[in-house]
Amino acid sequence: MSITFYYAPMSSATRVFWALEELGLPYEKVKVDLAAGEQHKPEFLAVNPHGKVPALVVDGVPMFESLAMLLFLGERFGVARNLWLPHDHPEYPAALSWLTWGTVTFAGNVFRYLLNTSARFPAETHNAAAAEAARRDALANLAALEQRLDGREYLVADRFTLVDLGLASFIPFAARSGVADMAAYPNLGAWAGRCTARPDLAVAMAG
Ligand SMILES: N[C@@H](CCC(=O)N[C@@H](CS)C(=O)NCC(=O)O)C(=O)O
């Protein structure tokens, strides 16, 4: 088996980097210099036609979108390593639901908030009413996570899985966005602390 992983430090690729490390898979990594525009070069577009990191090539077959990669890696390699749930596990549907919800809905709402407030985006994309709507949605998401983690160490199956990895990877992003006072979510804070203390995240963060 051969795996090539295309990434940039501190990007959406970090969660896939973290997953590859947790799974202990052999892989070759290729750093893509986003500032230099390498993501727009034909050789990279042949891997990801959308010109974004992460990208993954497994046995010559390319894929894009970090959520797709986490699901693929979990299904293919995670069950044997206790980092993913088998299809007949009673919490398998919850695993798919929480990971997808975290990536699409929760992270999407935080991103929408940033788009409407952050100096990283042009002032003409800022709209106070849209920012407030995004904030309300993100706060509801955080409350839902807080409730899910009430009395649980991890999101599913009482152990750390790629579901936790996929969601915990967004918590520092949410905290930096200023969308909420994260201290108001103690269950979430304790869980995020457990997840982000894992040594393999430090490897992924170091690039
Ligand atoms: N939803 C995508 C997001 C990919 C994405 O937006 N990647 C950014 C880095 S965080 C990127 O490659 N940006 C380069 C560009 O847009 O030119 C995923 O999760 O894989």
Side-chain angles (χ1 to χ4, degrees):
M1 180 192 55
S2 82
I3 300 180
T4 309
F5 170 54
Y6 296 81
Y7 76 106
M10 305 295 283
S11 73
S12 307
T14 302
R15 59 207 305 249
V16 177
F17 201 155
W18 183 9
L20 287 166
E21 288 295 322
E22 290 281 355
L23 290 161
L25 296 169
Y27 64 98
E28 181 198 348
K29 60 185 202 285
V30 179
K31 196 183 279 191
V32 179
D33 187 342
L34 299 181
E38 284 179 2
Q39 70 275 30
H40 304 304
K41 295 205 167 142
E43 52 272 31
F44 184 72
L45 293 174
V47 176
N48 182 354
H50 307 295
K52 310 265 186 206
V53 292
L56 201 64
V57 180
V58 181
D59 290 334
V61 180
M63 61 187 303
F64 51 83
E65 285 295 332
S66 62
L67 173 59
M69 292 169 207
L70 293 183
L71 291 168
F72 170 82
L73 292 170
E75 296 279 335
R76 175 79 77 92
F77 308 106
V79 176
R81 292 163 173 84
N82 246 1
L83 287 163
W84 191 249
L85 307 187
H87 291 180
D88 60 356
H89 191 288
E91 290 202 78
Y92 176 73
L96 293 180
S97 300
W98 281 104
L99 180 53
T100 305
W101 172 87
T103 307
V104 177
T105 303
F106 171 51
N109 288 331
V110 175
F111 183 74
R112 200 154 52 87
Y113 177 77
L114 276 174
L115 196 62
N116 283 285
T117 56
S118 166
R120 284 170 43 211
F121 296 100
E124 54 270 26
T125 72
H126 293 186
N127 175 291
E132 183 49 26
R135 195 181 71 87
R136 260 200 325 269
D137 289 346
L139 291 183
N141 298 157
L142 286 163
L145 254 184
E146 179 69 7
Q147 192 180 12
R148 174 70 184 178
L149 289 162
D150 194 16
R152 287 174 201 266
E153 295 267 295
Y154 294 105
L155 285 164
V156 294
D158 294 328
R159 62 174 190 267
F160 177 83
T161 65
L162 298 190
V163 179
D164 301 287
L165 182 156
L167 264 87
S169 60
F170 288 129
I171 300 301
F173 165 67
R176 279 196 308 275
S177 76
V179 74
D181 173 9
M182 301 303 277
Y185 306 95
N187 298 331
L188 194 153
W191 159 82
R194 275 191 291 282
C195 296
T196 57
R198 293 178 72 89
D200 287 326
L201 174 59
V203 175
M205 298 284 282

